[in-house]
Amino acid sequence: MKRKILSPRTDWQLEHQKIGFDYFNLPSLDGSIYWSEGIAYEFTLKQIEQLEDAANELHQMCLAVTSDLIQRGNYPDYFQIPVAAIAQIEQSWRQNAPMLYGRFDFAYDGRNIKMLEYNADTPTGLLEASVAQWLWIEQVSGIPNRDQFNSIHEDLIKRWKTILPRGSHVHFAACQEAGREDWGNLEYLMDTAFQAHLQVSELSMENIGWNGQSFVDLNNRPIQNLFKLYPWEWIWEESFSQYLSPQSNWIEPCWKMLLSNKAILVELWKRYPNHPLLVETHHFDPQQKLSGKWVKKPILAREGANIRVLQDGQDQGAASGSFYFDDYDKYGYVVQKWVETPLFSGQLPTLGLWMVGHQCAGMSIREDCYDIIGNDAHFAAHYFVE
């Protein structure tokens, strides 16, 4: 695993605009922008195979833990699962409601892989991971015998065909005030569904209505299938959640609430203690005696929010790159052993391994000079050589 400096492509900004990746130049804290043109990480084929196998194994481990929790009907308090959501979680699991996609975050030093978390409900960064970095590998010069671990686009189209019959209508929704990144991801997923011969339309979550029998859009058209870039835990805090039923086909399915909750890391460690792909993780208890360096993470949060460093149980302050948001403070926390990974030219990379259905379909990389990969961390392309 090497960090390489390469020549920028001619008109690379225009190439991004052509595919709708118009948020490539969002500002970062260090004064640069989101997309790092001229930066790439090089892997060997063996390393790529190792990462792919790890993601597939971890996904199956997560499914096994989910199955156990649902079969026992036992959801530990530290999951903070709303009582009203349990029936929908269990029904969607037993009906085999299909998932579309998800993203593991890995720490990796070229040899050892550690799963940091599973973004299983509302992961973003998809357009740049699938199309933008594939265009980069096709256009960049100076790298002989190169390839990229990336079949995300083709696999998404195939997955839609598995999930829904040809010609089905799918509504796509996100929060009205969500940023361009969220809407860019939503529009990209709409395009993959359209290429899978589905009918598509978009609206904001705020504009979803109820006509007394079904959810409807602004044209009073029933919403039979909904892809929501909106977290399940927020949905159960909304009054309209009372109308959810097994007939509501919402993607991702409600059982993904268990995987997108960092409490799943606690359950994984209990079931697979000392597994080489896992990081020791426990429910946060202020009375617990902790030795060494740990991070305290909210069970439900995004973009690296509310993460703090603990040393021998003592709070050392916010992890660099993290920020505080009130809403993420109310659900509870886990503690995860600190993972030491090497810096590459002063940058700390986190690998995103993308699951489409139940198979790993590709990889993306975010890097930053901070410990936590936040909303404005840089996207760097990757390639491998045989």
Side-chain angles (χ1 to χ4, degrees):
M1 181 178 173
K2 302 173 184 175
R3 187 177 188 269
K4 296 285 191 173
I5 309 296
L6 303 164
S7 298
R9 293 167 293 164
T10 303
D11 296 330
W12 59 270
Q13 298 95 332
L14 182 59
E15 295 296 332
H16 286 330
Q17 296 282 359
K18 286 178 182 176
I19 61 169
F21 182 28
D22 53 10
Y23 48 94
F24 70 89
N25 57 355
L26 289 173
S28 292
L29 284 175
D30 62 5
S32 61
I33 61 173
Y34 174 46
W35 175 272
S36 289
E37 183 70 19
I39 302 295
Y41 281 81
E42 179 183 289
F43 296 80
T44 65
L45 175 59
K46 184 177 180 181
Q47 288 174 325
I48 293 296
E49 291 172 342
Q50 178 194 18
L51 290 160
E52 180 183 15
D53 289 347
N56 286 327
E57 180 179 355
L58 284 164
H59 180 69
Q60 291 303 317
M61 289 162 62
C62 287
L63 294 180
V65 169
T66 299
S67 180
D68 283 354
L69 291 169
I70 291 173
Q71 285 179 9
R72 296 198 312 266
N74 176 30
Y75 310 96
D77 290 344
Y78 46 78
F79 270 87
Q80 293 285 298
I81 300 293
V83 173
I86 292 175
Q88 192 81 4
I89 289 171
E90 293 178 345
Q91 287 170 339
S92 64
W93 176 261
R94 289 171 180 146
Q95 292 170 348
N96 294 315
M99 64 170 278
L100 178 63
Y101 77 127
R103 190 193 74 231
F104 284 105
D105 285 349
F106 284 177
Y108 185 59
D109 62 5
R111 296 176 302 279
N112 301 298
I113 300 169
K114 294 295 182 182
M115 170 190 169
L116 301 176
E117 57 192 67
Y118 195 2
N119 301 281
D121 188 18
T122 58
T124 55
L126 191 56
L127 173 60
E128 46 271 46
S130 59
V131 183
Q133 72 165 341
W134 184 255
L135 283 179
W136 174 86
I137 195 71
E138 287 186 325
Q139 296 169 349
V140 73
S141 59
I143 313 173
N145 305 316
R146 65 182 183 265
D147 203 347
Q148 189 176 88
F149 178 34
N150 184 4
S151 61
I152 299 170
H153 184 75
E154 297 82 0
D155 289 350
L156 282 168
I157 295 170
K158 291 176 186 175
R159 186 62 179 169
W160 281 118
K161 293 177 179 179
T162 302
I163 291 175
L164 292 166
R166 185 186 181 106
S168 300
H169 191 275
V170 188
H171 286 81
F172 288 77
C175 182
Q176 195 163 356
E177 295 182 358
R180 180 64 197 132
E181 181 184 359
D182 280 18
W183 283 100
N185 274 263
L186 196 75
E187 289 158 6
Y188 169 64
L189 281 167
M190 283 179 63
D191 181 61
T192 61
F194 180 76
Q195 291 189 51
H197 307 295
L198 302 176
Q199 299 180 58
V200 299
S201 56
E202 71 177 13
L203 76 168
S204 68
M205 292 294 296
E206 292 85 346
N207 285 331
I208 295 175
W210 176 257
N211 67 3
Q213 294 181 311
S214 64
F215 292 107
V216 293
D217 62 19
L218 288 172
N219 296 316
N220 210 34
R221 179 173 181 169
I223 297 174
Q224 297 173 321
N225 308 292
L226 178 77
F227 176 88
K228 47 146 214 79
L229 198 62
Y230 194 80
W232 269 111
E233 67 267 18
W234 294 1
I235 289 171
W236 290 108
E237 293 175 352
E238 306 264 8
S239 59
F240 71 77
S241 63
Q242 64 185 299
Y243 302 121
L244 285 168
S245 72
Q247 285 69 48
S248 306
N249 183 28
W250 287 31
I251 306 164
E252 297 293 325
C254 197
W255 60 262
K256 292 290 281 295
M257 284 186 77
L258 299 177
L259 295 193
S260 62
N261 188 315
K262 293 185 188 68
I264 196 71
L265 302 172
V266 179
E267 299 303 303
L268 283 166
W269 187 256
K270 286 181 180 178
R271 183 179 171 116
Y272 306 100
N274 301 308
H275 191 286
L277 297 175
L278 298 178
V279 181
E280 184 177 352
T281 307
H282 305 284
H283 165 58
F284 174 66
D285 178 355
Q287 307 305 316
Q288 185 180 17
K289 301 298 182 184
L290 295 172
S291 176
K293 192 173 183 180
W294 299 73
V295 287
K296 177 184 169 187
K297 294 180 172 183
I299 62 167
L300 296 168
R302 281 153 191 85
E303 308 294 1
N306 296 25
I307 297 178
R308 302 187 71 81
V309 178
L310 306 179
Q311 181 68 49
D312 297 324
Q314 299 299 308
D315 192 316
Q316 303 297 304
S320 65
S322 185
F323 65 97
Y324 180 79
F325 187 54
D326 277 341
D327 276 9
Y328 296 147
D329 195 43
K330 62 187 179 184
Y331 299 108
Y333 288 80
V334 298
V335 285
Q336 188 177 59
K337 197 79 172 174
W338 182 269
V339 178
E340 290 287 355
T341 50
L343 289 169
F344 292 80
S345 303
Q347 298 290 317
L348 182 69
T350 295
L351 277 55
L353 276 295
W354 292 88
M355 304 300 298
V356 177
H358 300 294
Q359 293 295 319
C360 188
M363 180 173 69
S364 57
I365 299 174
R366 300 281 299 276
E367 64 170 16
D368 212 330
C369 58
Y370 304 107
D371 291 327
I372 304 303
I373 297 298
N375 192 41
D376 66 345
H378 306 293
F379 188 100
H382 82 275
Y383 64 94
F384 68 87
V385 291
E386 297 191 32

